[in-house]
Structures are given as structure tokens and as C-alpha cells.
Amino acid sequence: MKETILIIGSNGQIGTELAIALRKKFGASSVITSDIRKPENLQSDEIFEQVNVLDKEGLKSLFVKHQPTQIYLLAAMLSAVGEQYPQKAWDLNMNGLLNVLDLCLVLGIKKVFWPSSIAVFGPHSPKSDTPQHCIMDPNSIYGISKLAGERLCEYYHTKYGLDIRSIRYPGVISWKTVPGGGTTDYAVHIFFEALAKGQYSSFLSADTALPMMYMEDAVRATIQLMDAPSENITIRSSYNLAGVSFTPAMLAQEIKKILPNFEMSYIEGDPRQAIADSWPQSINDEYARKDWNWSLTFDLPTMTKDMIDNLKNKQA
Ligand code: VAH
């Protein structure tokens, strides 16, 4: 059957690169990108539709027009910005998801991807090797909305048979598109500033260990999960993915191996520190490995080298 893929929130950090990968896999004419604003650099073979995920009627006409067979819902407000606008974050993250879930039922769209996050864990979740099932008491509106979203995904699968799949992404690191408003953004901005200014002031403390993942791995995991036979999927809330855990000090050390003059400093009192402190330091992803044969490619050294090489080429 011909697949038609609709990506909602395609301008974001993950959406941008997922669109590239899905065009490669299915062909550009099979991938419709959409977001609340038209991107500047749209290529001639790229199909884009302007839509607000909170406009259910607008979303419905998009679904009817393109008849998607798979939907990737990536529109969300991330953790740091969410703490500045909690009501807006809840509205976008929850009602956006509910709009898509309900329209999929009404229009018979069977397959959906929705991103969750390690932000669903909280202060009483195990800090290391955090398991798939454990206490989850997120205290950021982003984490609360992602936990509630996971419960909705499992509910729509169990009650209505919707084939919705999800990944609890760690912090995602990329060079093509910078993230917007996340707590893990330091691990992206550091590379841009290291090359531009030779120094970076981290808003997270030197010893703040967080699970991270290179974009190549995050996109590959997403497609690998969506390609897996439905009967292999035993987790219908959202899969843990471990990525690679490191601290700002470890990342700075790795950058200095390539840019010896790089200087790292630390800013105290940033509100994102409390968010990061509520999250796990490392994740157990045994279910992803067992159910759909997941394995990571990029560790900290290979990711650091790839980021710097690509940013140097981009700037050249
Ligand atoms: C954020 N990048 O910082 C996102 C992510 C695990 C963190 O969900 O909010």
C-alpha cells in the first residue's frame, strides 16, 4: 500500500531531520510537512501545509485532503519555555495530541508517532538506569503533559486499536536545526559557541549528568520503531531510550580534545538547573532492545567529532 506521511510540527529540531529521512525512505511526494509557520528555505520538491495543531477543523481538512497513512505529531512546547507559559504548554501538548488522536479515529488513520521524553520521570524516579516502569512524578508542565500524553496513547491503543507508537527521547543533539526552549539545549549551543567564540557558559552545572542522543540515532530509532511489526510492540505508552549520559564537564573535555583552546564556564541560578535535577542521569532501554532490536551508534566521542566536523563544513 502506498504510504503517505504527514509530519505535524516539521519545523522543529526533530521534525526537520525526520522529514529529510522520511523523504529519503518514502520519496518526497509521499511526505507532507506542516507547521504553524511556513519555513523560509522550502525546496521545490517539498510539500508543506500551514496548520495550527490546535485548529481541529483546519487539521481535519488537511487529513481529508492528503489522506495520510502515517502521522508524526511533533508539535510541542519544550520544558524550559513551558515553565514560562504553563497553560499554553498544556494546551498545545495535550489538546494538540487529543485533536490528532480523535481525528485518526474519525478518519480511520491507523498509524501515529508521538514523542515523549525522559522528562516524564521526576524526583522520586530512580536516578540511574531508570527502568521502563517505575515511579513517575514529573514536576515540569512539559513532563506532566508528556506523562499524560503517554497515558492517552496507551488508552487509544487499548480502547480503539490505534497503532500509536512513542519514544521517550533523551536530550537530542543536532547541527542542522537548533532546539527551541529545552533544558538540554546547552549540549547543542556549546558546539556553535565553541566554534564561533572558543568558549561557552553553561547554564547547567558541571556535574549535571543527563541522557542525551545524537540526532542520527534519534531519527533512526524513530523509523526503526515505526517499521517494527505491530505484534512486537509491547509498550504502548512510550519506549525508554538510553542514548549516552554525560555531564557538561565531560562534554567540554571531549570538545577540548578537538579544540584545545576551548574554555568552559558555568552560570549559577538558571531555572533550568532545577528541571535537569529532577530528571534521571541514565536510562535503561531493555524493552527497545528486546522489542525492536534497538542499539545506539553514536557515543560521546563520535558525536562530538561529527558535530564539529559538520558545523565547520556548514560555516565554510
Ligand atoms: C527539553 N530537549 O529539554 C527537550 C527534551 C529530555 C529533554 O525533552 O525539554
Side-chain angles (χ1 to χ4, degrees), residues 179-194:
T183 298
T184 57
D185 295 359
Y186 90 88
V188 178
H189 298 154
I190 188 172
F191 286 99
F192 287 81
E193 307 247 327

Side-chain angles (χ1 to χ4, degrees), residues 13 78-80 116-119 142 169-172 179 181-185 211 279:
Q13 183 195 20
L78 298 184
S79 57
S116 184
S117 160
I118 59 151
Y142 173 70
Y169 288 120
V172 177
T183 298
T184 57
D185 295 359
W279 291 349

Side-chain angles (χ1 to χ4, degrees), residues 259-273:
L259 306 171
N261 299 328
F262 172 67
E263 293 295 324
M264 179 76 148
S265 57
Y266 298 91
I267 307 162
E268 294 191 4
D270 189 291
R272 289 165 286 191
Q273 184 65 52

